[in-house]
Amino acid sequence: DTEVTQTPKHLVMGMTNKKSLKCEQHMGHRAMYWYKQKAKKPPELMFVYSYEKLSINESVPSRFSPECPNSSLLNLHLHALQPEDSALYLCASSQDGTSGSTDTQYFGPGTRLTVL
Amino acid sequence: AQSVTQLGSHVSVSEGALVLLRCNYSSSVPPYLFWYVQYPNQGLQLLLKYTSAATLVKGINGFEAEFKKSETSFHLTKPSAHMSDAAEYFCATNNAGNMLTFGGGTRLMVKP
């Protein structure tokens, strides 16, 4: 089973709202990732968690706040977003996030976020 | 940091024709390379990956890719295109911290 699930599939929010995106995997993976993908562009890495600790933050604005409650779950808390934050948000997981290995990332279906 | 470049943002083929999607990498050491496919409104699905065990890598859905060090290439091919192959294809490589770096993507269109 190589499934990563994400909820919700679609989310519309105003600029003053607070919402959360959720990601779950049951493959025993110890690394989890958040990506942002704008239309007709490749995914851009936002955050990496390895063994439930934040290991990489790609200079993401503080209005995005990641959380890894346990090894199977990854959340992305959203607050005071801007219309330009509208995008497809993808979650991925891999065995252990080992540097330079063929540690394959498996992606979820994404959450389509629209900020009004 | 290692990077990949995909030549051709759009490729159009007829159903039954050969599919060739190009990817070149920039690296002084053997890279780890991946091909992902993204169908409309979906996430990314792994097609295949290069692990240095073999230069010709077979993936899912009849796709394969050949690692050519002399050409720094890892092109994706499929002998006969099917309508269901229409999608966005991304070549990617690993960098430190298992950060995936993607190419710009190639949209494959299949004409009946």
Side-chain angles (χ1 to χ4, degrees):
Chain A
D1 182 12
T2 56
E3 187 178 23
V4 176
T5 59
Q6 290 187 243
T7 55
K9 290 186 177 180
H10 301 275
L11 178 63
V12 179
M13 60 185 291
M15 290 189 286
T16 59
N17 292 156
K18 287 185 180 181
K19 297 287 184 181
S20 296
L21 308 184
K22 297 184 184 300
C23 174
E24 190 167 6
Q25 56 87 15
H26 293 289
M27 295 178 278
H29 290 172
R30 302 310 301 271
M32 297 186 77
Y33 312 77
W34 279 117
Y35 288 84
K36 174 182 178 180
Q37 185 180 26
K38 300 285 280 185
K40 303 185 187 302
K41 296 291 187 181
E44 297 177 343
L45 183 68
M46 301 174 71
F47 303 103
V48 181
Y49 273 83
S50 182
Y51 292 87
E52 297 151 55
K53 293 186 178 179
L54 184 64
S55 59
I56 294 175
N57 176 339
E58 288 291 277
S59 302
V60 179
S62 60
R63 58 186 184 269
F64 295 92
S65 176
E67 178 195 20
C68 190
N70 59 57
S71 60
S72 300
L73 293 174
L74 185 66
N75 298 321
L76 185 63
H77 302 299
L78 314 172
H79 175 56
L81 294 192
Q82 304 297 310
E84 58 265 29
D85 296 321
S86 298
L88 181 68
Y89 288 84
L90 294 164
C91 174
S93 71
S94 70
Q95 195 68 37
D96 59 11
T98 305
S99 170
S101 78
T102 58
D103 191 23
T104 304
Q105 293 186 30
Y106 296 93
F107 286 79
T111 293
R112 176 75 60 187
L113 174 67
T114 303
V115 182
L116 301 177
Chain B
Q2 300 174 33
S3 64
V4 291
T5 302
Q6 292 182 242
L7 298 177
S9 58
H10 292 80
V11 170
S12 181
V13 301
S14 297
E15 193 172 19
L18 171 72
V19 175
L20 171 61
L21 305 182
R22 300 176 186 274
C23 174
N24 288 87
Y25 65 90
S26 171
S27 174
S28 59
V29 297
Y32 298 102
L33 296 165
F34 306 82
W35 274 102
Y36 285 90
V37 60
Q38 185 175 32
Y39 298 102
N41 299 313
Q42 294 188 27
L44 276 69
Q45 181 182 9
L46 180 70
L47 278 175
L48 51 82
K49 64 182 181 183
Y50 171 68
T51 63
S52 76
T55 56
L56 183 63
V57 182
K58 293 188 182 299
I60 62 171
N61 302 339
F63 284 93
E64 62 182 36
E66 187 172 7
F67 177 79
K68 291 187 176 180
K69 186 177 179 180
S70 60
E71 299 177 6
T72 61
S73 69
F74 189 58
H75 300 333
L76 183 71
T77 60
K78 182 174 180 178
S80 177
H82 192 273
M83 296 295 291
S84 61
D85 294 326
E88 188 84 20
Y89 291 80
F90 292 100
C91 181
T93 187
N94 260 347
N95 280 297
N98 203 34
M99 294 172 58
L100 274 181
T101 300
F102 290 92
T106 298
R107 179 164 297 276
L108 175 66
M109 295 167 284
V110 182
K111 298 175 291 186

